[in-house]
Amino acid sequence: MKKAFIFSGMLTAVLSAGFSSAHAQSVEQKTYLINGLASAVPFIGYGFANLQKKIPGSELYSYISPIEGSTIIQPRIMSDIRKAWKRNPAVEINLIGISYGANLITRMGAQLQDEGIQVSYMGVIDGLPLGNVTPNVRRVDNFTCRLPGCLRDKVRLTKGNSITIANAFDFTTTHIAMGDNPEVHQRILHQITTVPLNIAEPTLDLGYTASTTQAE
């Protein structure tokens, strides 16, 4: 584990303790976790099973094939988001996906852009192929890995998108292990449990080794 992440976690905990719990209690959140292909098959890695336990109220989706992912899982999540937003336009939408699930959330972000719905946070974990991120996404983190089998596709912003705060993180680990990586979990929890306006600027990442991606 990188020392930067250990230090960051300790410092973040100290600085955010005063407002993270208040934020969680006062703002409605909808967090969707989307696993990769064949994730509904037993013993195919951890996926987000452990991450879901750390995010109360989060919804975890698994499936077998890309057809099931795009024709059943994606429409189901989109319908739920629309209902939540219609009920409360201030709801914070968090989309977190790994592998093919990362591809799905970038496509959903673009659909939500067309419908005027904002995404508070998008966690893109070693997916391929990724859609470009639209300006309705407030913050996006791109997690990749570098061992054999890793996909390594990079998040890019749509042309003219100067709004989304984008950061990239790279790990020496495997593709399957990324879903249960404690440093990835730490970063995601940091992003969705603190006041967004206080963590938007990369300078407030407090030790996270990050690089800002460029719009194309």
Side-chain angles (χ1 to χ4, degrees):
M1 184 178 291
K2 298 178 182 177
K3 293 182 179 179
F5 277 85
I6 297 173
F7 171 75
S8 172
M10 295 173 62
L11 187 55
T12 298
V14 172
L15 294 180
S16 65
F19 52 81
S20 62
S21 60
H23 173 66
Q25 293 173 5
S26 62
V27 177
E28 180 186 1
Q29 288 189 330
K30 294 283 289 184
T31 299
Y32 303 89
L33 308 173
I34 309 176
N35 283 329
L37 292 177
S39 53
V41 178
F43 313 115
I44 303 294
Y46 289 100
F48 289 138
N50 289 329
L51 179 59
Q52 184 188 27
K53 297 174 184 177
K54 301 175 183 179
I55 307 175
S58 60
E59 299 179 23
L60 175 61
Y61 293 86
S62 299
Y63 48 95
I64 300 295
S65 68
I67 294 177
E68 182 184 1
S70 59
T71 63
I72 298 177
I73 301 301
Q74 182 175 337
R76 184 180 301 169
I77 295 173
M78 288 293 295
S79 176
D80 194 67
I81 290 174
R82 293 185 187 104
K83 291 177 182 177
W85 181 79
K86 185 176 182 179
R87 183 180 67 252
N88 176 15
V91 63
E92 290 189 354
I93 305 299
N94 303 311
L95 296 174
I96 301 161
I98 185 170
S99 195
Y100 188 71
N103 174 27
L104 289 178
I105 65 171
T106 55
R107 290 194 291 174
M108 281 190 276
Q111 283 185 261
L112 294 170
Q113 162 79 13
D114 293 338
E115 298 180 31
I117 300 175
Q118 188 178 63
V119 175
S120 179
Y121 174 69
M122 183 178 285
V124 179
I125 303 176
D126 204 41
L128 182 76
L130 301 176
N132 291 347
V133 175
T134 46
N136 63 314
V137 178
R138 185 184 297 151
R139 297 159 291 148
V140 59
D141 285 336
N142 184 195
F143 303 94
T144 54
C145 56
R146 60 175 73 107
L147 293 184
C150 292
L151 302 178
R152 301 193 60 76
D153 198 13
K154 295 182 179 179
V155 162
R156 293 172 175 81
L157 307 184
T158 54
K159 185 176 181 180
N161 180 4
S162 60
I163 297 174
T164 303
I165 303 297
N167 289 284
F169 304 88
D170 198 34
F171 299 84
T172 304
T173 186
T174 63
H175 175 76
I176 290 178
M178 287 289 286
D180 201 43
N181 185 291
E183 295 172 336
V184 173
H185 289 190
Q186 176 185 315
R187 171 65 180 186
I188 290 171
L189 293 170
H190 169 73
Q191 289 284 62
I192 68 176
T193 60
T194 52
V195 179
L197 292 178
N198 287 335
I199 61 173
E201 293 298 330
T203 53
L204 293 180
D205 282 335
L206 305 172
Y208 286 102
T209 304
S211 60
T212 302
T213 59
Q214 301 297 317
E216 286 194 338

